């Protein structure tokens, strides 16, 4: 393992720090965020709809405006949730292919506020009211987590790589508790093998302020609600990892009550090239475990 490196802090906008101040009473902080987050989302939804009308018949202009609105929504959402992003090591130079572990859904705002990358995203997320169209604005590569979608996703990844775009995937395929990284699935790494693209890796862990609930009880939400069997019941494997299901409302209250939470991204030193997707997945997983810091 390399020697520890200085953490570089990516601060959020000063206008958003009012929610993160320790002097703000917890009930007031929850109330302010509960009002500000949906209001900001609705304002951005109206903005992107208006932009689509103005740019009708000009697809490239529509795409550019939509991305700018979506990026502004994401970066401000990061501040509204009180997410501070820290880097350990160096972010890869673009264009890059990056794999990460996946612990928290709010990490989406953290990553996309500090890097511009095409991300493999669950297709169901684009049907969320108002937020769905804003997520679509950053042009995610959609997956339904079923084997039949793998060739389509790989085709999109290969095309993005060949266009010189950054791509980001979470090979675990689902959210995980903060103390572990599940094995990396190899299917989507086929795109890196086909294009002979070395793959960078990074790991994420989370911190909460002293005296507050730890990330395991405030930032993380599981079991993954989309990991169900044909009858709609949560998979036994998810319950084994996460324990009993947690009420979503209670999770949101604990998350919004935090003065802030820290998302620490530790980058691996060198990318890994693979001759086949299975060995590449195993090497990336082993390398990620060496630099991984569990969240409590």
């Amino acid at each position: 393992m390399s020697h520890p490196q200085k953490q570089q802090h990516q601060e959020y906008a000063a206008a958003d720090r009012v929610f993160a101040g320790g002097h703000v009473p917890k009930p007031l902080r929850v109330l302010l965020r509960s009002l500000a987050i949906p209001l900001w989302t609705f304002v951005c939804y109206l903005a992107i709809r208006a932009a689509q009308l103005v740019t009708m018949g000009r697809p490239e202009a529509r795409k550019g405006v939509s991305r700018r609105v979506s990026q502004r929504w994401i970066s401000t959402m990061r501040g509204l949730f009180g997410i501070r992003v820290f880097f350990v090591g160096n972010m890869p130079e673009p264009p890059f292919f990056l794999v990460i572990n996946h612990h928290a859904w709010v990490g989406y705002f953290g990553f996309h506020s500090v890097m511009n990358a095409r991300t493999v995203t669950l297709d169901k997320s684009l049907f969320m009211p108002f937020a769905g169209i804003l997520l679509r604005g950053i042009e995610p590569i959609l997956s339904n987590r079923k084997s039949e979608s793998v060739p389509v996703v790989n085709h999109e990844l290969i095309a993005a790589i060949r266009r010189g775009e950054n791509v980001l995937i979470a090979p675990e395929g689902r959210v995980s508790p903060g103390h572990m990284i599940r094995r990396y699935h190899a299917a989507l790494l086929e795109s890196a093998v086909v294009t002979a693209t070395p793959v960078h890796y990074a790991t994420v862990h989370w911190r909460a302020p002293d005296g507050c609930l730890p990330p395991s009880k405030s930032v993380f939400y599981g079991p993954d609600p989309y990991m169900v069997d044909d009858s709609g019941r949560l998979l036994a494997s998810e319950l084994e990892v996460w324990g009993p299901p947690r009420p979503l409302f209670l999770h949101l209250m604990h998350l919004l009550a935090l003065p802030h939470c820290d998302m620490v991204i530790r980058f691996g030193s060198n990318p890994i090239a693979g001759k086949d997707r299975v060995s590449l997945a195993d090497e990336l997983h082993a390398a990620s475990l060496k630099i991984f810091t569990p969240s409590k």
Side-chain angles (χ1 to χ4, degrees):
M1 184 185 303
S2 61
H3 295 293
Q5 301 175 57
K6 183 178 179 181
Q7 294 185 6
Q8 305 169 35
H9 181 202
Q10 180 73 31
E11 184 60 270
Y12 38 71
D16 302 318
R17 290 202 291 269
V18 64
F19 300 101
H23 61 281
V24 179
K26 187 182 299 185
L28 179 58
R29 185 184 300 118
V30 171
L31 176 61
L32 289 174
R33 283 176 169 157
S34 298
L35 295 173
I37 288 171
L39 178 60
W40 173 243
T41 299
F42 184 63
V43 167
C44 290
Y45 168 81
L46 294 178
I48 205 168
R49 284 300 194 192
Q52 289 176 342
L53 288 174
V54 172
T55 57
M56 188 174 297
R58 294 181 292 153
E60 288 304 313
R62 169 177 288 195
K63 184 185 298 185
V65 173
S66 295
R67 173 168 284 277
R68 287 193 293 274
V69 174
S70 295
Q71 285 291 158
R72 177 61 62 87
W73 172 68
I74 286 170
S75 61
T76 301
M77 286 287 282
R78 179 173 72 94
L80 293 175
F81 277 109
I83 302 169
R84 305 190 305 177
V85 180
F86 291 81
F87 304 129
V88 181
N90 298 313
M91 188 183 301
E93 293 292 328
F96 58 75
F97 190 126
L98 178 67
V99 300
I100 58 163
N101 61 303
H102 186 24
H103 285 161
W105 61 273
V106 289
Y108 196 89
F109 299 114
F111 270 109
H112 282 285
S113 63
V114 297
M115 65 178 69
N116 179 17
R118 301 285 304 282
T119 307
V120 176
T121 302
L122 185 65
D123 55 2
K124 292 180 180 178
S125 62
L126 270 64
F127 293 96
M128 293 189 294
F130 305 114
I133 191 174
L134 294 166
L135 293 174
R136 191 180 292 274
I138 57 172
E139 298 181 87
I141 297 171
L142 302 180
S143 169
N144 62 8
R145 287 179 172 171
K146 296 180 179 179
S147 57
E148 57 265 27
S149 73
V150 169
V152 176
V153 176
N154 271 321
H155 177 78
E156 290 292 325
L157 285 169
I158 290 169
I161 293 168
R162 288 177 173 165
R163 286 194 298 266
E165 298 173 343
N166 303 323
V167 296
L168 172 68
I169 69 172
E172 289 174 288
R174 64 196 73 179
V175 292
S176 297
H179 64 276
M180 65 185 295
I181 300 179
R182 306 193 213 208
R183 74 177 183 88
Y184 282 174
H185 296 286
L188 299 187
L189 292 171
E190 181 70 19
S191 58
V193 175
V194 168
T195 58
T197 303
V199 181
H200 296 265
Y201 59 96
T203 63
V204 179
H205 72 273
W206 292 78
R207 303 181 302 218
D210 292 339
C212 296
L213 287 175
S216 60
K217 298 184 183 299
S218 54
V219 179
F220 307 148
Y221 177 66
D224 189 322
Y226 295 111
M227 300 307 298
V228 296
D229 59 21
D230 293 337
S231 64
R233 292 179 298 185
L234 286 167
L235 296 176
S237 57
E238 290 298 296
L239 296 173
E240 183 179 348
V241 170
W242 280 95
R246 308 177 185 188
L248 177 59
F249 177 78
L250 187 61
H251 158 69
L252 290 174
M253 293 302 99
H254 289 329
L255 174 63
L256 298 180
L258 290 176
H260 63 264
C261 54
D262 295 343
M263 179 183 184
V264 184
I265 307 171
R266 183 183 296 271
F267 293 97
S269 54
N270 295 299
I272 297 174
K275 294 183 178 180
D276 67 87
R277 64 187 187 184
V278 174
S279 62
L280 178 57
D282 290 342
E283 289 183 55
L284 287 166
H285 186 258
S288 296
L289 287 175
K290 289 181 180 179
I291 64 170
F292 175 58
T293 299
S295 304
K296 298 180 179 180

